[in-house]
Amino acid sequence: MPSARTALLGFAFLPCLLQAARQPSEKQAQQLKSLTLEQLGNVEVTTQSKEPTEVWNTPAAIYVLTGEDIRRSGVTSVPDALRLVPGVNVFRVNGSRNWAIGIRGLADQFSKYVLVLIDGRTVYTPLFGGVWWTINNVMLEDIDRIEVIRGPGGTIWGADAVNGVINIVTKHSQDTKGALISSGGGNVDQNTEDLRYGSEHQGWTWRADAFGFVRGPEYHIQNQPNYDWSRDGQIGFRLDHDTPSNQFTLQGDAYWGKFGDAQRLSTYNPPAAFISYKSTNVSGGNLRTRWRRVFKNKSDVYIQAFWSHDHRTGSNFGEDRNTFDFDFLHRFPASAHQQFTYGFGIRLSPSTVSETIATNVFDPADKTDSIYSAFVQEELRIVPDKLSLTIGTKLEHNNYTGFEYQPNARLLFTPTDKFSAWAAVSRAVRTPDRLDEDIRVDVFAFSPPPVFARVVGNHNLLPERLVAFEGGFRTLVHPRFYVSASGFYNAYRNLIAQGALKLSPTPTPPFSPGTIVYDLQFANGIHGSTVGGEISPDWRATSFWRVRPGLAYLNLDLKDEPGFTDTATLKTLRGSSPAYSAFVQSDIDLPHHFEFDQSFRYVDSLPAQSVRAYTTADARIGWNPTKRLSLSLTGQNLFQPHHAEFGIDPPPTVLIKRGAYAKLVWSY
Amino acid sequence: MQPEPLTEPLRFSRNRRGRPFWTFAATRAVAVAMLLAAIPAIVLAASPSKPSEYDVKAAYLLNFGKFVRLTTPASPRSSFDICTLGHDSMDSSLDVLAVNFKIGDLPVHISHLSDISGTKFCAIVFISATERDRIHEDLAILGSTDVLTVSDAPDFLQHGGMIQFVLISNHVRFAVNLDAVSRTHLVLSSELLRVASSVSGRPPTGGLP
């Protein structure tokens, strides 16, 4: 289409035309000299394209999403923000269910290969080895940054950090003083209210916040009820006290939520299946404390403890879980060329599953998951400031598989301050969870005679294992152009899969006589490898226009282990990771304090989920008329009235709607 | 990976082909509109241009000289020396701005050092974030000398630095650690402290108003 091509060409040449004329002039820089200190503090500046120093020296594929990136993108939740990280696959299943999020493939609603932390507190649940994104909400204005490490983080973070780690870091309370009110609404994110107040007293800084949202259903075809609405409210606080050698933090949250749902459930008597539209109720809270002390000899000690409680009741099951965690870390220089880090941790998580329907059972109903871990790591500076080698391992004992070890070795090469390259080999392990081991679900298939499938856990599962070979580089090609790229080869073994149907001998009650039952048991049935890479340039085209494209590629080569014959899970895994995904973000600062931000994204098809490849975009216009007030209008998923992202059970697939919302933020 | 296990794992009706839910022309129209909208936006935006963060940090460094006093008499100087340790964009910004700049009647002289031993004669030292792990050592050496230490490295104040640049919503501000200043004969003017985004530590007794 000619006009699209012309538009693209014009778009490409424009920065070149403008660049020469728009450099900040030397005359303007000289004028800065005559400003007072106070006036200097009021000058708005452009920052360099380069990543923060911490990222530059990290021998891993780390990507940092800053709070400012999140604000400009107009996203309304953390999972939506993660779409802007190359290598992270994010699929919205419907308006109220858990998101399917994966790093470097293998995304699923019950994704087990990504570890998620909020301020160092693990939010993964041992129920299914994944994260309930819907209950772990963070007020977006409180987020300082989200660090995403693509690749195994087993040594420091522990088991289940197989494909990656997502660490959500909130702002220090020193940076959130004063009042903030944010209010927004639209057609899908119907109502979002955030309130915050922070202050300081004699060196202690604190903040308290409260937020809530009402989110409407997505698009349903075929007269299906609009069941996927959600409502959530949360309150929280944070207290900090920093002195030059000590940092202390105490923070906590409490939440309540109600989510609409649709679940296909079965009954024994009469043998039948039906869809329940009973909503899910959730509530819970957490408390976390951390203390860091820096010593004169450049060593530091870090202690963290947290408690969290989560309660959930839905149509298919209910769960009450408490988690207690304690971690200790000590880092010290052993010589001019070596730094040692070691630590240990304990996590206990007692839980009770309550039965809400007889056909869904966890056996045993009560269980305490425990992890005892220790790790050690050495950083060797082979050539100071240029080449360093880090080796380490974590040793863990868990209540499912006993002892597991996760070693890794990483090399970092920084020949100049404009180029850094790294390579790593790591082993990571995912231990089975309650779903893999303790579940017993009876599913009605058809009648007559009544036929059921019984999905049953396996207490003899081996842990899933990954050995990853990765590498990457970062370079500041030009002060305004920065590129970061990484590649990986992941070798998987013992991936847990659904076994073949086995006819069960004469079924006993609760099945009625004459019922035919097929057993389906989980087993370590799949192995293979994935290969891929990510590239993310960051181009500050002019002082007011920043363009950030991103591209990720993934190739899955998985097969059944010898002797394992079922292919259902294999087909799902193969067809649920996009081969290509790409995005382009463009942020433009306009005169009179306007902002115009766009993000375009392409996601390849997911054949096993019956989802076609799609391209869509979000756009946001912001206006910050005064230091205290800011207004914005954001449109999301603009290219189509609705599009599919992931399959769901019970079908049909729910489609994600085009939406728009307006927001006002007032701060004092 | 297992399919959603709490409901039906056997996807009998899984593989229905999705119908196209959008018209091709409508998508193209929205895409073209969004791309075209960016062009006038860029043209409109072309008028203001913002200074770089290092130009503003360099301007701060030059100005700090006016707000720092020594409480003991010092040997006479012929120039006010501002030094940078480590290499980053501060070097070029400072060179450009320091031309013909005076603090009192002393001309400002800029030195770019690669080693801490050269800082003996400096009045202000800007330590680049590229010094990384050496910062603690550098500050231990400088700590008892009457040199104002400034940096934009994270945790600079915790290592014992005196002034740390911070970026708050695209504005360059600075935080001050008075405990580090009290260990020397330097005193910071209250005008500087008033403008700082945060001040920690206790001032030395008998300080200037």
Side-chain angles (χ1 to χ4, degrees), chain A residues 69-248:
Chain A
D69 294 336
I70 295 171
R71 184 186 73 83
R72 299 286 302 248
S73 65
V75 297
T76 52
S77 64
V78 170
D80 265 325
L82 294 172
R83 292 183 202 267
L84 305 170
V85 180
V88 179
N89 308 124
V90 178
F91 308 108
R92 190 188 265 278
V93 174
N94 70 10
S96 59
R97 281 270 187 92
N98 205 19
W99 296 71
I101 295 185
I103 294 181
R104 296 179 169 171
L106 308 183
D108 182 63
Q109 274 191 70
F110 298 100
S111 174
K112 314 166 299 184
Y113 303 105
V114 176
L115 183 68
V116 181
L117 307 122
I118 297 179
D119 287 331
R121 173 178 62 95
T122 314
V123 297
Y124 123 103
T125 169
L127 180 73
F128 59 85
V131 179
W132 289 114
W133 289 98
T134 45
I135 60 167
N136 285 296
N137 292 298
V138 182
M139 199 167 106
L140 293 179
E141 287 92 354
D142 278 351
I143 297 181
D144 180 68
R145 62 189 187 277
I146 300 179
E147 296 169 346
V148 179
I149 297 179
R150 297 150 294 184
T155 298
I156 299 278
W157 308 113
D160 308 300
V162 173
N163 273 24
V165 182
I166 296 174
N167 188 14
I168 300 164
V169 180
T170 63
K171 292 178 179 161
H172 195 286
S173 53
Q174 185 171 288
D175 298 326
T176 56
K177 289 194 271 208
L180 181 134
I181 297 177
S182 164
S183 178
N187 66 329
V188 186
D189 285 294
Q190 289 168 359
N191 198 356
T192 313
E193 307 294 326
D194 298 349
L195 295 164
R196 180 178 78 201
Y197 184 76
S199 185
E200 171 168 11
H201 180 66
Q202 301 202 338
W204 291 78
T205 52
W206 61 273
R207 71 158 172 267
D209 48 54
F211 67 96
F213 62 84
V214 174
R215 210 177 185 281
E218 298 285 356
Y219 183 83
H220 296 258
I221 59 172
Q222 294 180 3
N223 300 320
Q224 194 188 31
N226 291 332
Y227 66 83
D228 56 332
W229 46 267
S230 51
R231 283 201 282 275
D232 188 276
Q234 188 162 320
I235 56 175
F237 78 94
R238 179 170 169 153
L239 180 67
D240 293 290
H241 181 62
D242 285 6
T243 66
S245 50
N246 280 291
Q247 289 158 7
F248 172 78

Side-chain angles (χ1 to χ4, degrees), chain A residues 464-475:
Chain A
E464 296 175 307
R465 191 216 71 184
L466 163 69
V467 173
F469 300 87
E470 318 169 72
F473 68 88
R474 299 175 185 107
T475 174

Side-chain angles (χ1 to χ4, degrees), chain B residues 99-122:
Chain B
V99 170
N100 294 332
F101 195 80
K102 283 194 155 105
I103 303 226
D105 5 290
L106 291 176
V108 166
H109 180 252
I110 308 292
S111 307
H112 300 300
L113 306 171
S114 13
D115 193 64
I116 189 77
S117 53
T119 55
K120 283 188 282 261
F121 58 89
C122 305

